[in-house]
Amino acid sequence: MTITSEVYIEGSEADPAVQAASTVRRAQRSLTGALRPKVALLTELKLGPEARERAQEALARLCDGPLRRYLDACDQTLYAAAADAPETRLLIRALRTSAAVLRRHLDALPNADEPPTVTSLAESIDAVFAAHLAIERTVLLPALAALPGVDLPALAADLETLLDGGTVQTPAVLDVRAISRGQRHPRVFARFARLAPGEAFTLVNNHDPKPLRRELQATYPGAVTWRYLESGPERWQVSIGRATAPAR
């Protein structure tokens, strides 16, 4: 018989939360490493018209592909998990505002036709994105790791999936009866994080999940809807949704 152990020292390299944060930082470094040289071509070198046009097109492709995909993936995973929690609500508003500013620059870049405008946009994209990533890295990731019920490793895995062009599972019915008790609440929290306002999923459990309800409502006050569809004695089904207008 093989016995496995998942014992680790919190904060060490074996800590799943540390590994998850490393996954996000790795994606950030990859993007920054691709972005900086392309920005430098337009901001630090005196290129001829044809070379400058090619450099602008290369930067626009990166921005419209991997960079925009990163912003969208973060919004669907990391931001969604923290959007309605009192501890992180304002932080997510700030990050989404920053992302909106960045998207406006990305939209303007392909059609910019004056060299000073192109240079200014490239510099702005580089600066805003660097500041945006720094806030994610130094503020958001530690906040997510400390947020009750949030499974940062699962969020990081979903982020990777989206960055690779895949899709994350959003089952309409989440049956946790075969899942170990310690993993049930994180699984439900991860599913809740993927809900848009007004959406819901059905939880199936083998007991009344009242402790889960208290935990969800404490973490996301005013944002959780809860409706029993079946109440035992052997099976409980609950419709769990994200409210359309969370209390502020």
Side-chain angles (χ1 to χ4, degrees), residues 217-229:
Q217 291 177 336
T219 304
Y220 304 112
V224 181
T225 64
W226 184 279
R227 181 167 61 91
Y228 283 98
L229 305 176

Side-chain angles (χ1 to χ4, degrees), residues 231-243:
S231 300
E234 296 182 355
R235 184 174 71 170
W236 276 257
Q237 293 193 75
V238 183
S239 174
I240 301 174
R242 187 184 288 271

Side-chain angles (χ1 to χ4, degrees), residues 27-238:
Q28 293 179 339
R29 286 195 301 269
S30 176
L31 266 176
T32 301
L35 178 66
R36 289 281 164 79
K38 289 179 172 55
V39 169
L41 284 175
L42 292 166
T43 60
E44 299 177 14
L45 298 179
K46 293 183 179 180
L47 302 175
E50 291 185 3
R52 189 172 184 83
E53 183 178 353
R54 289 196 298 271
Q56 181 180 350
E57 290 173 351
L59 177 59
R61 283 195 298 272
L62 174 70
C63 290
D64 200 45
L67 201 156
R68 197 182 293 272
R69 187 158 57 244
Y70 176 84
L71 295 177
D72 292 343
C74 282
D75 195 84
Q76 294 176 51
T77 56
L78 306 182
Y79 299 0
D84 294 319
E87 302 94 326
T88 51
R89 185 177 294 153
L90 292 179
L91 171 61
I92 298 305
R93 285 186 190 175
L95 283 167
R96 283 176 166 164
T97 299
S98 171
V101 170
L102 191 52
R103 286 188 179 95
R104 285 198 293 271
H105 293 325
L106 304 186
D107 291 340
L109 180 63
N111 298 319
D113 53 10
E114 295 295 331
T117 303
V118 174
T119 298
S120 177
L121 283 170
E123 290 174 340
S124 296
I125 290 169
D126 187 39
V128 174
F129 192 50
H132 187 85
L133 295 185
I135 295 171
E136 288 182 346
R137 186 169 57 250
T138 62
V139 184
L140 177 61
L141 291 177
L144 283 170
L147 203 60
V150 169
D151 188 344
L152 185 54
L155 292 175
D158 286 347
L159 179 68
E160 271 196 312
T161 297
L162 292 172
L163 292 178
D164 289 339
T167 58
V168 295
Q169 293 183 349
T170 55
V173 177
L174 179 60
D175 190 338
V176 299
R177 289 175 295 179
I179 301 173
S180 63
R181 286 186 177 271
Q183 293 300 313
R184 291 182 183 184
H185 286 200
R187 190 72 62 87
V188 174
F189 269 75
R191 180 65 186 93
F192 180 83
R194 301 181 193 125
L195 293 176
E199 290 184 342
F201 67 97
T202 299
L203 170 69
V204 181
N205 204 357
N206 53 12
H207 66 273
D208 188 348
K210 289 187 294 185
L212 170 66
R213 182 179 190 177
R214 290 193 293 268
E215 193 174 351
L216 272 171
Q217 291 177 336
T219 304
Y220 304 112
V224 181
T225 64
W226 184 279
R227 181 167 61 91
Y228 283 98
L229 305 176
E230 183 178 0
S231 300
E234 296 182 355
R235 184 174 71 170
W236 276 257
Q237 293 193 75
V238 183

